[in-house]
Amino acid sequence: MSVIVIQFTTLDGIVSDPDGSEGTPDGGWILRYGRDEIAGDTFRLGSILDGGVILLGRRTWEAFSRLWPARDDEFSARMNAAAKLVASRTLTDVSAWAHSSVLDGDLVDAVKREERDVVVIGSLPVVRTLMAEDLVDEYRLITFPTVLGTGERLFPADGPPVHLECLTLEKAAHTVFARYGRAAR
């Protein structure tokens, strides 16, 4: 089992409001470069979705549950068929998106017990909780050529050092896709 974090990020490490759904003044920065930069399996998840589980926070799940069920391309079919766990203390009805269930119990304990690969998409509070427990094995980041200056960062300035190694790097028209894993200790 491994934990894989998926994030869109700016050059200065901002991950908040990439699609503009939160209504922040600088939100929607991923859409400035066209949909081709984010279409399909841009994070190279492939068969991980078939046997793994997607872990989402409540807000991300709510946004995704309005978008993904209506999509029918090959990658969307995989997303819709994948098992999904929702980390929420308030959400009880997750029937809007097939194969979703609310996480039972403590987030960290549930991830430690999980036997499947866990893919965390967005969901910064969930990511930060897993980071604090040193449970993240890999980061898959798509970096956009944008500098915002403000917003939530994946790695906060006051956080502990994180030592990673670059596993793969690919350039698209405007973005860079990179996979980072734990550096040798």
Side-chain angles (χ1 to χ4, degrees), residues 5 11 14 17-18 44 49 64 73 83 87 90 101 103 105 113 130 172 175 177:
V5 168
L11 282 175
I14 304 298
D17 204 12
R44 315 299 186 264
L49 293 179
F64 281 18
D73 61 272
T90 58
S101 59
L103 188 83
R113 284 191 315 267
L130 299 178
T175 61
F177 167 71

Side-chain angles (χ1 to χ4, degrees), residues 9 48 70 81 120 130 135-136 140 146 148 155 157 164 171 175 183:
T9 183
I48 294 172
V120 186
L130 299 178
L135 292 175
V136 178
R140 295 187 184 188
T146 298
L148 295 176
F155 302 101
L164 304 169
K171 184 186 179 308
T175 61

Side-chain angles (χ1 to χ4, degrees), residues 1 4 18 28-29 44 51 54 59 63 89 95 109 116 155:
M1 185 279 291
I4 302 166
W29 43 270
R44 315 299 186 264
I54 299 171
R59 288 187 323 182
R89 292 183 190 98
S95 62
D109 290 340
R116 301 169 288 186
F155 302 101

Side-chain angles (χ1 to χ4, degrees), residues 60-133:
T60 303
W61 183 89
E62 287 176 337
F64 281 18
S65 71
R66 290 187 296 270
L67 298 173
W68 287 101
R71 295 179 178 176
D72 61 0
D73 61 272
E74 183 180 332
F75 179 70
S76 297
R78 271 193 156 144
M79 284 286 287
N80 290 326
K84 294 167 270 297
L85 291 175
V86 185
S88 176
R89 292 183 190 98
T90 58
L91 195 61
T92 56
D93 181 10
V94 292
S95 62
W97 196 12
H99 311 289
S100 295
S101 59
V102 177
L103 188 83
D104 186 29
D106 179 70
L107 169 64
V108 170
D109 290 340
V111 169
K112 286 180 178 178
R113 284 191 315 267
E114 186 58 56
E115 295 179 8
R116 301 169 288 186
D117 287 332
V118 176
V119 177
V120 186
I121 304 173
S123 308
L124 194 55
V126 171
V127 170
R128 292 239 176 102
T129 299
L130 299 178
M131 289 169 73
E133 296 292 325

Side-chain angles (χ1 to χ4, degrees), residues 8-14 29-34 37 142-148 171-177:
F8 293 118
T9 183
T10 63
L11 282 175
D12 57 342
I14 304 298
W29 43 270
I30 64 171
L31 303 175
R32 293 188 181 108
Y33 300 97
E37 300 286 331
I142 295 181
T143 304
F144 287 77
T146 298
V147 175
L148 295 176
K171 184 186 179 308
H174 298 94
T175 61
V176 173
F177 167 71

